[in-house]
Amino acid sequence: MTFGPLAGLRVIEVAGIGPAPFCGMLLADLGADVVVVDRPPSSSDGFKLAPDTIINRGKRMTTLDLKSDQDVGTFLKLIENCDALIEGMRPGVMERLGLGPEVCIQRNARLVYGRMTGWGQTGPLSQAAGHDINYIALSGALWYSGQAGDAPMAPPSLIGDIGGGALYLAVGVLAAVTNAKTTGKGQIVDAAIVDGSAHMTNLLLSLRAAGQFVEQRGESLLDGPHWYATYRCLDGHFVSLGSVEPKFYALLLDKLGLTADPDLDIAADRTRWPDLRQRFSEVFAGKTREEWCNLLEGTDACFAPVLDPLEASTHPHMVARGVYQEVDGVLQAMPAPRFSATPVSTGESVPMRRLNVASIFESWA
């Protein structure tokens, strides 16, 4: 049975690591038929995800030696029957294999050719090696990640590889596929993490234009005040506050028993924020995380405990929504977003064996 709003969409994913296969998982989660074309195992392989990794769930997998003329020909025949291709090679690699976008689109005029890189297909850095942290450092997206006086530190791979990379590649591919259905013409999607992660800063840039964000970390609306921060509790766990609006901050103070304290006015001078954060640190260090959850969770104080993924999977709200599940003994976050008319499949297994390419041709006939 086929599930999801992308049912019927055929995608070839050239095996790799990082954001391109994550994009393939997202498309497969939403119902696309994603076929991973992997290369034969080699002793020279460096870091490489196993075929049974979570981001291969819902996909099918086959093996082709793209350095072989015969297998390149087979790959091009696959291209004739699909809607999109996604790859995450360094610029020029696919061209050297004889599988660049011009060749592929010549075989299938409506093909969308999705290219995922860190620096982009063009520009002075396009041929340089790099990883998530480098791309978001250059784009400006890393700057505000961290406390004043500390080195910037972002959640590994989330801002660059996933946010600025995989999600922008997915949006770009789907937009181009929609256009191809109307015009009959495919195109190249150049998805670069530097582009996507820079685009993600536009909300912060809007705040900057309004005078609410400055370049100095720890002195802006979302990285400085005591009412937008995380705090260590008595038991060593952490909680988060996001009481930006005055009415929510007033409720927070009421819950904390601090309403009568004039020093805690939300309009306090920014130069006093460090002192007020220290004051809140002392308050939250006085109770365990569970005690703070009993007092604040579910209220409009804009509060949540800081949970690791395993803890998150057992939280009542996450359980009620079925956000996490164990599939084949592996904890996984389920597909998102959700659809009323075309629900997505859950519990998809990852491909444990490689299919003969003939079976792919048969199913796409």
Side-chain angles (χ1 to χ4, degrees), residues 43-337:
S43 59
S44 63
D45 286 343
F47 175 74
K48 185 179 179 182
L49 294 173
D52 59 349
T53 188
I54 292 172
I55 59 174
N56 278 336
R57 72 182 182 197
K59 304 175 185 178
R60 297 188 288 169
M61 181 173 286
T62 192
T63 301
L64 291 174
D65 182 358
L66 297 183
K67 294 182 179 179
S68 155
D69 291 343
Q70 180 177 343
D71 281 7
V72 166
T74 301
F75 187 95
L76 289 171
K77 288 180 182 178
L78 281 174
I79 289 293
E80 295 173 2
N81 293 307
C82 75
D83 301 292
L85 175 151
I86 57 176
E87 58 94 359
M89 304 294 185
R90 197 179 298 205
V93 170
M94 292 296 286
E95 284 83 351
R96 289 194 291 276
L97 292 171
L99 296 171
E102 292 76 13
V103 173
C104 292
I105 293 176
Q106 187 175 21
R107 295 293 288 263
N108 179 353
R110 61 183 175 80
L111 178 72
V112 171
Y113 197 108
R115 316 199 77 172
M116 181 77 259
T117 59
W119 306 115
Q121 296 295 317
T122 60
L125 294 177
S126 62
Q127 291 296 322
H131 280 294
D132 178 293
I133 193 170
N134 310 124
Y135 310 135
I136 66 175
L138 190 71
S139 73
L142 180 61
W143 177 250
Y144 290 108
S145 296
Q147 299 298 311
D150 294 336
M153 178 64 188
S157 84
L158 294 181
I159 295 176
D161 285 351
I162 307 307
L167 300 187
Y168 277 82
L169 176 60
V171 170
V173 165
L174 294 178
V177 166
T178 300
N179 180 261
K181 290 184 181 298
T182 301
T183 66
K185 296 181 179 180
Q187 60 183 299
I188 302 166
V189 178
D190 177 3
I193 295 174
V194 287
D195 299 351
S197 59
H199 188 262
M200 288 168 60
T201 69
N202 273 333
L203 178 57
L204 296 183
L205 292 176
S206 297
L207 294 173
R208 180 179 182 274
Q212 294 178 318
F213 249 75
V214 296
E215 277 62 48
Q216 293 74 30
R217 285 186 295 124
E219 298 183 19
S220 297
L221 182 67
L222 302 180
D223 72 345
H226 52 292
W227 31 259
Y228 199 94
T230 58
Y231 294 98
R232 184 187 295 271
C233 304
L234 181 63
D235 54 4
H237 291 299
F238 293 85
V239 295
S240 70
L241 297 180
S243 313
V244 178
E245 294 86 351
K247 63 180 180 180
F248 299 148
Y249 180 66
L251 175 61
L252 173 66
L253 292 185
D254 180 61
K255 291 286 187 180
L256 298 181
L258 299 173
T259 303
D261 191 335
D263 288 339
L264 293 171
D265 190 289
I266 194 170
D269 190 297
R270 293 185 181 191
T271 61
R272 297 186 57 238
W273 282 352
D275 292 337
L276 296 178
R277 286 186 71 148
Q278 180 59 36
R279 175 81 180 278
F280 264 42
S281 293
E282 294 168 357
V283 170
F284 281 95
K287 296 181 185 293
T288 66
R289 184 177 69 181
E290 183 178 1
E291 289 175 314
W292 287 121
C293 286
N294 291 336
L295 179 65
L296 296 170
E297 194 167 27
T299 74
D300 280 354
C302 301
F303 164 94
V306 179
L307 306 178
D308 65 44
L310 186 59
E311 289 176 316
S313 71
T314 63
H315 187 279
H317 181 80
M318 307 296 268
V319 170
R321 288 187 58 80
V323 175
Y324 286 95
Q325 289 186 25
E326 275 202 10
V327 181
D328 298 329
V330 177
L331 182 66
Q332 305 181 26
M334 291 296 99

